[in-house]
């Protein structure tokens, strides 16, 4: 008896599938943070004084690089593990909504806004006339958790849910969810930067209420970056998500009106000029009409029409398959209406054109045989290839689209 060969996927296969499902920027942040921690572990670097977010060093020595270096370093494996474990679902969801380039810009913007709020609060606490407290000026903070708190606020706003579960123990209103997390982490964990997490929450609310709209460019700016030549290698990767949103004001609509003019026409023109200065790839051959069905790439042609005759859209799956079946049936069955009652076919209408038609059919047959071999070598069934080539008038690109549609 043949043994059962069905088995579950291995751990490595599941890990690979999980990793391939994470979008480009989110996976890049995870990889960079993990690589930096591994390098620090190998060389024994654990002081972090030179790279952490230190308000006194930023103000006195103007070490602004700490704004971005501090979010990439982590103090321990558990610190890195839990931060990246929270980043994967949050970053993946936001990247699928915003697009890869827009998410990267948002992360950089949130890191800057978190740093500004962190500095302002630390200065206010340290130099207030009532009870000066200088500890916050000398607090050395590292980790990606400040950005994560901003993402939690933005994601809670975008999801539209009214309540959130705190570790599966109890539910809280969505608007209070980041504040409850801040309180829980501060009470249960040690060596936690309260000001870093608080700044992240405030930045997230500032983003959702549209306070950053003035410095967030429109969709055309991000599309210009995606079309630039120096980013073409990244854009072609399957995990890269294009910025396909149609929001003209440039921000993800949350509490604000997406048609608001808070950004101003001057800012829109500024971002448009900046995007025009970037080197662009030649996309003229890829331009399509607005009425094109986005499920199918390229342009369609009317079946049976000349190759130069193009139509702006492509028919649906059912109509396309129906026409293919009708075409196949009409080619396979004999022409019954052409047979008279005596069982003989009527004479040809124009005998002069018969040699020309037969010559064209022989040429088409030769071309079709070569095309059939090419498509069969790609793994398609020969019968389906013949039907697809007949429907596409010998056009290999259209035939491949038809075959892919049938398999899909």
């Amino acid at each position: 008896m043949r043994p059962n060969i069905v088995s579950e996927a291995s751990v490595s296969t599941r890990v690979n599938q999980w990793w391939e499902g994470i979008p480009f920027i989110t996976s890049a942040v995870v990889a960079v943070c993990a690589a930096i921690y591994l390098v620090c572990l190998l060389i024994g670097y654990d002081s972090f004084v030179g790279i952490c977010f230190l308000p006194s060093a930023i103000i006195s020595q103007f070490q602004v690089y700490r704004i971005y270096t501090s979010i990439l370093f982590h103090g321990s494996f558990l610190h890195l593990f839990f931060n990246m474990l929270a980043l994967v679902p949050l970053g993946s969801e936001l990247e699928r909504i915003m697009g890869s380039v827009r998410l990267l810009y948002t992360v950089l913007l949130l890191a800057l806004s978190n740093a500004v709020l962190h500095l302002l609060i630390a200065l206010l606490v340290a130099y207030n006339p009532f009870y000066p407290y200088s500890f916050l000026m000398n607090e050395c903070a590292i980790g990606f958790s400040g950005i994560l708190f901003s993402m939690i606020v933005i994601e809670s706003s975008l999801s539209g849910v009214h309540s959130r579960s705190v570790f599966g123990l109890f539910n809280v209103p969505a608007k209070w969810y980041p504040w409850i997390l801040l309180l829980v982490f501060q009470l249960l964990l040690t060596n936690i930067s309260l000001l870093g997490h608080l700044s992240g929450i405030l930045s997230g609310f500032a983003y959702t209420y549209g306070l950053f709209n003035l410095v967030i460019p429109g969709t055309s700016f991000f599309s210009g970056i995606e079309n630039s030549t120096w980013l073409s290698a990244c854009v072609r990767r399957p995990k890269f998500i294009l910025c396909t949103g149609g929001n003209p004001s440039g921000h993800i609509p949350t509490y604000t009106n997406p048609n608001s003019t808070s950004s101003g026409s001057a800012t829109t023109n500024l971002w448009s000029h900046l995007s025009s200065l970037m080197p662009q790839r030649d996309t003229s051959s890829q331009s399509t009409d607005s009425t094109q069905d986005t499920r199918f790439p390229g342009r369609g042609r009317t079946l049976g029409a000349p190759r130069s005759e193009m139509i702006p859209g492509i028919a649906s799956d059912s109509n396309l398959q129906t026409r293919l079946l009708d075409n196949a049936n009409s080619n396979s069955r004999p022409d019954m209406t052409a047979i008279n009652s005596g069982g003989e076919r009527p004479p040809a209408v124009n005998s002069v054109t018969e040699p020309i038609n037969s010559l064209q059919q022989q040429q088409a047959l030769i071309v079709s045989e070569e095309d059939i071999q090419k498509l069969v070598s790609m793994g398609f069934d020969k019968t389906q290839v013949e039907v697809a080539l007949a429907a596409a008038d010998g056009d290999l690109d259209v035939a491949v689209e038809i075959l892919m549609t049938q398999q899909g």
Side-chain angles (χ1 to χ4, degrees), residues 348-368:
V349 177
N350 191 354
S351 60
V352 178
T353 60
E354 288 183 356
I356 300 177
N357 293 334
S358 61
L359 180 61
Q360 294 177 352
Q361 291 176 0
Q362 292 177 0
Q363 295 176 352
L365 182 61
I366 296 175
V367 176
S368 299

Side-chain angles (χ1 to χ4, degrees), residues 233-352:
C234 296
V235 173
R236 287 195 296 265
R237 297 183 64 86
K239 299 171 65 171
F240 193 93
I241 299 177
L242 297 175
C243 177
T244 56
N247 183 28
S249 61
H251 63 278
I252 301 299
T254 53
Y255 294 110
T256 58
N257 186 359
N259 296 323
S260 62
T261 58
S262 59
S263 297
S265 59
T267 306
T268 303
N269 294 332
L270 175 62
W271 291 118
S272 300
H273 289 307
L274 289 176
S275 60
S276 64
L277 296 177
M278 300 177 184
Q280 304 293 316
R281 298 198 305 271
D282 184 12
T283 58
S284 58
S285 61
Q286 300 177 359
S287 61
T288 57
D289 295 340
S290 59
T291 58
Q292 178 180 341
D293 193 342
T294 56
R295 295 176 299 169
F296 305 101
R299 291 179 178 268
R301 294 187 291 109
T302 304
L303 299 180
R307 293 190 181 184
S308 60
E309 182 179 342
M310 306 295 291
I311 60 175
I314 298 178
S316 61
D317 298 351
S318 59
N319 294 334
L320 181 60
Q321 294 177 0
T322 302
R323 289 199 301 270
L324 289 177
L325 291 176
D326 293 341
N327 192 5
N329 293 333
S330 63
N331 292 332
S332 60
R333 64 172 180 263
D335 190 359
M336 300 303 297
T337 60
I339 303 177
N340 56 17
S341 59
E344 298 178 357
R345 294 181 180 273
V349 177
N350 191 354
S351 60
V352 178

